[in-house]
Amino acid sequence: MTEKKRRGHNEGTVYYEPDRDRWVAEVSIGPGKRKKFRFKTKQEAIKKKNEALRELERKTLATGPQRKLGDYLEDWIENVHKDNLRISTYVKYKKHIKYIVSDLGEIWLQKLTPEQVTRFYTKKIKDGLSSKTVHGIHGVLKLALDNAVRWNYVSKNVCDLVKPPRVVSREVVPLDIEQARMLLESVREHRLEVLLTMAVVTGMRRGELLALTWSNIDFERHSLQVVHTVDYIPKYGYVQTEPKTKAGKRLIRLPAFLMDMLKAHRVQQEEQRSKVGTAWENRDLVFPDLKGGYFNPNYLLRVFKKILENAGVPHMHFHDLRHSAATILLCMGINIKVIQSLLGHSDISITLGLYSHLLPTMQQEVVDKWDEAFGNNDGAQ
């Protein structure tokens, strides 16, 4: 085979490799740097050469080194993106990446196709993963490939051409006011009485309740400040962070009966502290474990399950107490903007998206208000 003529920058050529029985499209991408693409036919090679030259001119040609998807994702999460994430988010991303690597990790980054990604999502749904988890996997892969585009590893993000599965939300089981009374009456004198009452009345998240300190409560103004949340993460232990959004840090007004419960709860806690003595962890927590440390959230869920059974209340997730608070307040006629503020939603669309289905059932109240304002009981025209 004759020696190929050297090509200048932004030039290309097509030639045949008899030892591989392949046609090669070769493009010069810089001084002494060339990129090769191999095909079975000359026509395919010519087409690719012309495409590559156009991409090179538009500066969209992937000129970075070839890397396997699995190697790239591990490098990206550990050395590029980790410092931008909360620990809980990092752990979640690592789980998502593990799913991707197990099925697609050996594929070369530049050869990954929308079809492969779509089939991967379908397979994971069939394997039993929830649509929410697969949607999360899509989000992580898209984020990582956006970075690959910036680094010129790939010319485009294949996730932009893939539609992730529609998230099928689980059915929420909120309590109505009577069920809430039943639940709270069943935990009278129970260790979790005040915590569960706080959850139903304020709509606070589990992590916010378990991170609440006495210094966050203003007994004179009957209010509290939500400033932290806590969760238990395997290998990391208890991790306390600030709320994800500015709206998450919020002031919550408390009714008098709940303030009285908190005062009595504090007295009981001081008695427990005296019993424990020097082994007490002085974290100032409102809802600690029996030695003053963080209350294990998994243990809380187990106890909560037993409480529901004893109360005769349908099974529900602890987070459904938050939905219960919003539902009960809407039925009381509380303005949805007030509920948004109470729950710490950053945008009213979040609140409306969760609870707008309740609004049509409240239209009778609107009709009644109009009748009160303009109705004529005498029937006069």
Side-chain angles (χ1 to χ4, degrees), residues 190-204:
H190 192 284
R191 181 183 166 201
L192 296 183
E193 177 187 5
V194 183
L195 186 150
L196 294 178
T197 304
M198 286 276 285
V200 172
V201 172
T202 68
M204 290 172 66

Side-chain angles (χ1 to χ4, degrees), residues 255-273:
F257 81 89
L258 187 50
M259 296 304 301
D260 291 339
M261 293 178 70
L262 283 167
K263 290 173 183 176
H265 177 68
R266 192 171 196 178
V267 172
Q268 292 174 351
Q269 189 180 107
E270 286 300 321
E271 293 173 355
Q272 175 65 17
R273 178 174 180 169

Side-chain angles (χ1 to χ4, degrees), residues 276-299:
V276 173
T278 56
W280 183 267
E281 292 184 51
N282 190 21
R283 292 183 178 274
D284 193 38
L285 296 170
V286 177
F287 303 113
D289 64 11
L290 293 175
K291 292 186 177 180
Y294 286 116
F295 199 117
N296 187 293
N298 294 323
Y299 177 65

